[in-house]
Amino acid sequence: MGAKKTKAPAEAKANGSAGNSDRKLTRATLIELYAARRYLGLAALKETGLRLPIEVYFKDPAVASASEGAGFDTEFTAPWEPGLRDGPTSARFAVVDYDATSNTLTPPAVWDRKCNCYRALDGSVLNSKTKDRFQYHQLSVWANLQNTLEFFESGFALGRRISWAFEGNRLIVVPHAGYGENAYYDRTSKSLQFYWFGDDKNRVYTCLSSDIVNHEFGHALLDGLRPHFYESVDAQTAAFHEFFGDLTAIVMAFRNNAFRKVVLKESNGDLNTAQLLAGLARQFGEATSNSPYLRSALNDQTMEKLKGKLEPHALSEVMTATMFDILRGVFAQHRERELERHKEGRSSRPSDVRALADTVPRMQMLAFQPLDLLPPCAVTFRDYALAVLRSEQVANPTDPSGYRALMLDCFIRRGILTEGDRTELLEPAPVFQRPPLDVFHSIDAIAASRGGAYRFLDDNRAKLLIPLNADLIVSEIVRASKLARDGRSLPEQIIVQYIWREDLILAGKQFGRFDGERTAMLCGATMVLDQNGNLIHWARKPGSVSVGTNAAATAEQVQGAARRTELLETIAARVAAGAVGEAIGSEIGLVERATPPFGFQKVDGTIRFQLSPHFSLRGDVELDETGDRQWQISF
């Protein structure tokens, strides 16, 4: 025991750990500092042990082998918290390393409070030198998740705590769930499942890929933010889930300064060829399809090229590429500023590294802060584009650099918005307006509870275009405190999500086994107000029931009727393609090729269609080409 006590601080120091034991910080002091962590800089957080140094792959083992300097991130840190314990287990994550294929429960990584680090079973500190141990795998996946969640809850992203879409506060993480070429998020089991495959010499562990970990976690995050996206058969809603997973993976890698330097070196400063940044899951792609990456944001897909496409992964590439177009455009502007600084004598030479570093926070803000502006159901790429543009207008009203025009060009070029949108969206208008109301409610009363928000909505149904007889549900009410690029506070956001269901009858042979069943169209809106009650954004998904006789109400009903028609046609197309069915599992969990893209359940006599609980890493087979029940396999 004595040897271990003298060795622990030295090992912690060698691993880059703050090693609060050798700095004489008591646990009580550390907890006090933790309570004040928002006021401390990164250096202070590291020095005090409030950031845990944990070596993780920048991308994955294949990238580490192929790209010099892109192996292990030795500067990576994850946030410390008082309740850390074996697993790792923290407030929001619990790593449970159960392999269903071999029916094996691997012992967890051990939390050493004295050295403020995680250890293997023999006492070794877990780092890149112990990368083959399963306890390192456990620590690596947990550290990536812990770090990503902290970013999303920061003011530079959503500025608030995020809840999961299931009951409970811990997401279960299974690093070695079993043998298979897959990884997925599953709301039902409240888990992220990471599989492994290959032989002993060429084994691929999906939990070691930062891209895969962050992609799957993106599904869990989005499901928590907008749980009713799950209840959809729309092609773009499913594709948005895949896009968001890929975007999360790209942006989280993009945040690291050392990795950015490698990207610039490999691409010679040209992001048009920066596959190291744009490519996703290299090791997985090479092993499963003999392709350099699973997917890439450097593609030429447009909405026109993929018109009528049902496969979510393929369709998602349009949105992913659009955001990468914007990233390249923002980088080009910062690069121009670097040249101007050099010409004016304010720098010795223009720096691509500094230009890319300046691009990072701008890209993070414009990509993730708009998530709170999305509608509560049936999201489309257009909804996201409008949210991105509106969020940028609020954060940067005068827009001296022309970011909104740049983003509009990218959205229009890919077919997400149209030329007809340009004039309207760039036309000068007040940044904030008062919402139309019959009955005034204070913002504090609205934000106090779902009950308060409901009374506000119910008292103003006519002006808010809500049917009088709709059974209105406030699905969420939250307050968010976001930050601008320079760290200043943006207007506080009070975000109210509300929905109602409009009954539909599935009548006709085109609905197959569902002919004669009742279903429902999800309708509703997200209303975002500031602390003064001004309207920041109002994203609506109307129903087909009359909400009045004035021009606005009539237009709303027309849009709702179009949504109803489109939904019925989509359900019929999904049924005809054999894309709707029950998930099939076995003793080793969900079976990938036996799991339909869309499921259903009966609630109170009504069919509710939904995305499959299994979000696959790879694209589904072509639903519109191969016929009925093509997702099933025979054993």
Side-chain angles (χ1 to χ4, degrees):
M1 292 296 290
K4 286 189 176 180
K5 286 183 179 179
T6 57
K7 190 177 179 182
E11 283 189 343
K13 193 171 184 179
N15 189 42
S17 170
N20 63 319
S21 58
D22 61 331
R23 285 180 171 80
K24 309 299 182 185
L25 288 182
T26 65
R27 179 172 173 79
T29 300
L30 194 59
I31 290 175
E32 285 190 33
L33 290 169
Y34 169 79
R37 65 195 181 282
R38 76 179 79 175
Y39 305 110
L40 302 178
L42 181 59
L45 292 170
K46 289 181 177 180
E47 186 175 349
T48 56
L50 292 174
R51 300 288 308 188
L52 302 176
I54 300 169
E55 296 177 356
V56 301
Y57 283 103
F58 280 116
K59 299 281 274 184
D60 63 34
V63 172
S65 298
S67 301
E68 184 179 354
F72 282 92
D73 183 355
T74 57
E75 298 298 319
F76 187 92
T77 60
W80 178 92
E81 56 189 63
L84 293 180
R85 45 198 175 278
D86 296 355
T89 299
S90 55
R92 306 305 306 281
F93 304 103
V95 177
V96 180
D97 204 353
Y98 175 68
D99 187 325
T101 301
S102 61
N103 191 28
T104 302
L105 180 64
T106 300
V110 179
W111 173 242
D112 187 333
R113 183 184 290 183
K114 290 184 178 179
C115 85
N116 212 35
C117 66
Y118 277 96
R119 295 182 178 277
L121 300 181
D122 63 1
S124 302
V125 172
L126 296 168
N127 54 31
S128 58
K129 296 177 181 178
T130 58
K131 65 181 184 298
D132 295 328
R133 300 192 185 192
F134 276 14
Q135 283 75 29
Y136 170 78
H137 295 189
Q138 297 161 4
L139 178 61
S140 172
V141 67
W142 172 84
N144 271 303
L145 295 170
Q146 189 89 337
N147 189 59
T148 301
L149 178 63
E150 184 194 48
F151 164 70
F152 270 94
E153 292 186 338
S154 74
F156 292 107
L158 296 178
R160 61 185 178 86
R161 296 296 185 189
I162 299 170
S163 299
W164 307 132
F166 49 77
E167 187 176 282
N169 289 299
R170 282 200 183 99
L171 181 62
I172 298 168
V173 183
V174 189
H176 309 99
Y179 186 90
E181 298 175 357
N182 205 18
Y184 61 84
Y185 158 69
D186 179 18
R187 182 200 288 186
T188 304
S189 63
K190 309 178 183 181
S191 68
L192 292 171
Q193 306 269 340
F194 298 97
Y195 286 74
W196 55 270
F197 61 94
D199 57 34
D200 291 339
K201 293 183 179 179
N202 299 290
R203 184 151 295 177
V204 175
Y205 294 100
T206 59
C207 68
L208 290 182
S209 168
S210 298
D211 284 345
I212 292 176
V213 170
N214 281 316
H215 174 95
E216 298 307 326
F217 187 43
H219 286 308
L221 284 168
L222 186 59
D223 198 28
L225 294 171
R226 292 293 186 275
H228 288 101
F229 286 1
Y230 188 82
E231 192 178 327
S232 175
V233 293
D234 296 337
Q236 286 194 35
T237 303
F240 190 85
H241 247 289
E242 296 303 333
F243 150 71
F244 183 70
D246 284 354
L247 182 68
T248 301
I250 291 171
V251 173
M252 291 310 296
F254 184 53
R255 295 182 72 217
N256 187 283
N257 188 51
F259 180 70
R260 292 196 296 268
K261 290 179 180 178
V262 177
V263 168
L264 290 171
K265 182 179 178 180
E266 284 209 352
S267 63
N268 293 316
D270 182 6
L271 294 191
N272 293 314
T273 62
Q275 280 289 8
L276 184 59
L277 177 59
L280 293 159
R282 176 168 181 166
Q283 185 185 37
F284 189 94
E286 289 178 344
T288 59
S289 58
N290 198 30
S291 58
Y293 292 95
L294 181 63
R295 281 184 296 281
S296 173
L298 286 170
N299 67 67
D300 61 356
Q301 299 289 14
T302 66
M303 296 302 289
E304 180 61 30
K305 286 183 179 180
L306 296 179
K307 188 175 182 179
K309 195 81 170 180
L310 293 176
E311 205 286 297
H313 295 80
L315 193 55
S316 74
E317 292 189 78
V318 180
M319 194 73 252
T320 305
T322 304
M323 295 308 290
F324 203 80
D325 290 345
I326 293 172
L327 187 159
R328 288 184 290 177
V330 173
F331 173 64
Q333 289 199 6
H334 285 289
R335 212 176 188 189
E336 282 295 318
R337 288 175 200 159
E338 281 295 305
L339 289 171
E340 291 174 8
R341 280 166 48 86
H342 176 60
K343 290 177 182 178
E344 295 169 359
R346 291 186 290 152
S347 66
S348 57
R349 62 186 178 87
S351 170
D352 283 348
V353 173
R354 187 161 50 234
L356 195 52
D358 288 341
T359 302
V360 171
R362 170 63 64 187
M363 195 64 201
Q364 291 170 347
M365 287 174 50
L366 68 86
F368 294 133
Q369 288 188 346
L371 292 173
D372 279 332
L373 277 57
L374 294 177
C377 56
V379 70
T380 65
F381 291 169
R382 178 182 175 83
D383 292 327
Y384 179 66
L386 294 176
V388 168
L389 291 165
R390 177 56 176 153
S391 182
E392 179 63 21
Q393 182 186 20
V394 172
N396 186 21
T398 58
D399 194 19
S401 300
Y403 285 124
R404 290 204 298 281
L406 162 67
M407 290 187 284
L408 257 172
D409 285 341
C410 294
F411 288 129
I412 292 171
R413 187 164 55 248
R414 296 281 181 168
I416 292 166
L417 296 178
T418 67
E419 280 293 344
D421 295 314
R422 189 188 300 274
T423 301
E424 179 182 353
L425 291 172
L426 290 181
E427 186 175 338
V431 177
F432 301 110
Q433 296 180 352
R434 302 293 291 182
L437 299 175
D438 286 321
V439 181
F440 172 78
H441 285 245
S442 73
I443 195 65
D444 287 335
I446 296 169
S449 66
R450 294 187 185 188
Y454 171 77
R455 287 307 301 265
F456 159 70
L457 297 169
D458 187 67
D459 286 345
N460 292 283
R461 283 184 185 243
K463 290 291 177 63
L464 299 183
L465 306 173
I466 300 170
L468 293 177
N469 294 327
D471 185 11
L472 196 62
I473 300 168
V474 177
S475 54
E476 186 168 51
I477 171 76
V478 293
R479 301 182 89 131
S481 300
K482 297 181 171 70
L483 298 174
R485 165 69 181 90
D486 56 6
R488 63 184 169 82
S489 295
L490 294 172
E492 185 180 26
Q493 294 182 0
I494 292 82
I495 303 143
V496 183
Q497 292 183 54
Y498 56 95
I499 63 163
W500 68 89
R501 299 177 189 276
E502 183 176 304
D503 285 341
L504 302 176
I505 300 294
L506 301 176
K509 293 181 180 179
Q510 68 270 32
F511 297 110
R513 68 168 119 172
F514 304 109
D515 183 13
E517 296 279 5
R518 290 172 52 234
T519 188
M521 178 171 71
L522 273 176
C523 310
T526 298
M527 177 174 279
V528 185
L529 306 169
D530 71 7
Q531 66 270 27
N532 299 314
N534 296 311
L535 183 63
I536 293 178
H537 197 61
W538 190 16
R540 303 189 303 281
K541 293 293 173 178
S544 63
V545 176
S546 173
V547 289
T549 56
N550 59 36
T554 301
E556 194 83 349
Q557 186 177 3
V558 169
Q559 291 181 31
R563 287 190 67 228
R564 182 187 182 105
T565 299
E566 183 179 5
L567 176 59
L568 290 170
E569 290 175 351
T570 301
I571 292 173
R574 295 297 192 195
V575 171
V580 183
E582 296 89 355
I584 296 177
S586 70
E587 68 276 4
I588 62 171
L590 293 171
V591 179
E592 179 181 359
R593 291 302 176 188
T595 300
F598 301 90
F600 67 93
Q601 59 177 323
K602 207 161 192 176
V603 180
D604 298 329
T606 300
I607 296 293
R608 290 188 185 177
F609 298 99
Q610 60 193 26
L611 291 172
S612 169
H614 177 177
F615 294 105
S616 173
L617 265 174
R618 295 185 294 184
D620 302 309
V621 290
E622 291 299 325
L623 306 179
D624 50 346
E625 296 176 4
T626 56
D628 190 44
R629 302 176 73 81
Q630 75 292 338
W631 41 266
Q632 285 195 356
I633 61 175
S634 58
F635 295 90

